[in-house]
Amino acid sequence: TGDNKMRALLKLGAVFLTTGLLVSTHWGHRPLTARADTLVETQGALGSGDAILDDGSLYDQYTFSATSGQYVTISLESEDFDPYLILLDPNGQRISENDDVSRANRNSRVIVTLPSTGLYTAVANSYESGKNGRYAIKIDIASNRRTLSEALASSAVPESTAACSDAIATMTLNVEGDRDVSAWVSALPLERVYSQLPSLRPHGVTVALSGPAAVDMMSSPQLLTQLSADLVADCATVSAVVFNTDTPAAERTFGFLPGNQSGRSQAVQGDAAAELVEGFNCVEPTEESTLLGWGEQVCP
């Protein structure tokens, strides 16, 4: 399936240049603002009559105008099929793609610094051939790194408080600092991974690390524990933070484990909650459909 997908993607640019079949929901340049600007936010569906890649997978296209140096974030979510997201530049060349946000999140997301001014195309695709169903796609533009961090932070925790969003954005910028690493945060659907959750803390956050310094950061459990503890302290509904990199299976989870200390309640908040953050224990991989117990992670 992976080889078929790659062959289909290699032909996508040619398809884009020759067919001219574009589905646009917004036209024209949008003014730069101090916040992220949502260009597209809509529901769609893959089904009969849609365009088809060479691997047999269906796709829709969304175009948007953007300026060189802007940051674009594109999210594709579906419960009906495994989303696959592709970004084409103004020349129809593929510049980014994504299958899964993380092992725990099968939705797709790309974050790119745009190389030129012009009309870009986001391709909403299914990873598997012949799959159809409904999806949601969102395209945001940010003018600078801080604005991007704040936009990602505000959507990482459902109904987040301002203090929580600020803490996530600050953590992202602190992680990068003078290091040669980028950190992108996103929501983590814990109910898809664990059979039970801390009832007062149903949400998780994924921190995707990339760049030469990412591996070194993943090798520092003390640093990752402290970063996770800070988020748990400031985000009253967050119980777990997952760090991952582009390296296959390189993923580490740190979370709120009140059961490890006798007499400590799930209701504790702030610094008291931060003290209960630990690294999750490794377990052997099992069937993909089997949920983990709280405090477990699958390690390579």
Side-chain angles (χ1 to χ4, degrees):
T1 300
D3 290 341
N4 290 339
K5 174 63 69 179
M6 182 55 65
R7 284 193 291 269
L9 292 176
L10 289 174
K11 280 194 68 175
L12 182 59
V15 171
F16 169 82
L17 290 173
T18 58
T19 64
L21 294 175
L22 304 178
V23 180
S24 297
T25 55
H26 294 262
W27 291 267
H29 290 279
R30 304 279 293 245
L32 293 178
T33 65
R35 59 179 177 78
D37 196 4
T38 298
L39 303 183
V40 174
E41 187 170 18
T42 189
Q43 303 280 327
L46 296 181
S48 176
D50 282 341
I52 304 175
L53 288 179
D54 277 8
D55 66 346
S57 61
L58 303 171
Y59 69 93
D60 289 335
Q61 297 186 148
Y62 295 84
T63 63
F64 61 95
S65 293
T67 302
S68 174
Q70 288 183 306
Y71 295 88
V72 64
T73 303
I74 310 174
S75 301
L76 179 66
E77 301 181 357
S78 177
E79 304 229 344
D80 296 333
F81 59 87
D82 185 4
Y84 198 91
L85 189 57
I86 306 150
L87 179 62
L88 305 177
D89 70 11
N91 296 316
Q93 299 301 307
R94 177 167 45 98
I95 59 172
S96 186
E97 64 198 78
N98 179 253
D99 180 17
D100 300 329
V101 174
S102 69
R103 284 192 295 176
N105 188 346
R106 297 186 70 195
N107 293 316
S108 300
R109 184 181 69 172
V110 299
I111 302 173
V112 176
T113 306
L114 299 176
S116 59
T117 296
L119 192 67
Y120 288 81
T121 302
V123 180
N125 179 228
S126 166
Y127 182 77
E128 299 172 302
S129 65
K131 298 294 183 179
N132 54 39
R134 297 198 60 79
Y135 63 81
I137 186 168
K138 185 179 182 186
I139 303 175
D140 290 327
I141 286 285
S143 58
N144 56 65
R145 186 65 182 83
R146 177 171 288 278
T147 299
L148 173 62
S149 295
E150 292 171 353
L152 295 176
S154 66
S155 61
V157 178
E159 300 179 354
S160 177
T161 64
C164 176
S165 294
D166 287 347
I168 295 173
T170 299
M171 181 272 293
T172 301
L173 296 170
N174 286 343
V175 163
E176 295 182 347
D178 295 328
R179 301 182 182 94
D180 194 358
V181 62
S182 294
W184 312 117
V185 297
S186 61
L188 171 65
L190 293 174
E191 70 279 1
R192 299 182 186 177
V193 185
Y194 295 101
S195 57
Q196 58 184 13
L197 309 172
S199 58
L200 300 179
R201 291 178 172 270
H203 300 134
V205 174
T206 295
V207 183
L209 303 173
S210 61
V215 173
D216 288 340
M217 287 198 66
M218 292 290 286
S219 301
S220 176
Q222 295 86 356
L223 173 60
L224 300 184
T225 299
Q226 185 59 57
L227 292 171
S228 302
D230 290 343
L231 288 192
V232 167
D234 291 319
C235 298
T237 62
V238 170
S239 59
V241 182
V242 171
F243 297 87
N244 62 38
T245 70
D246 296 334
T247 305
E251 199 165 273
R252 303 197 67 175
T253 304
F254 300 81
F256 179 68
L257 295 169
N260 287 5
Q261 295 190 29
S262 177
R264 302 305 293 268
S265 167
Q266 285 191 22
V268 298
Q269 297 291 338
D271 291 341
E275 293 177 1
L276 304 181
V277 171
E278 302 177 26
F280 282 15
N281 294 322
C282 291
V283 297
E284 291 294 324
T286 58
E287 292 297 326
E288 196 171 321
S289 60
T290 302
L291 297 176
L292 297 172
W294 187 247
E296 296 180 341
Q297 63 180 327
V298 176
C299 298

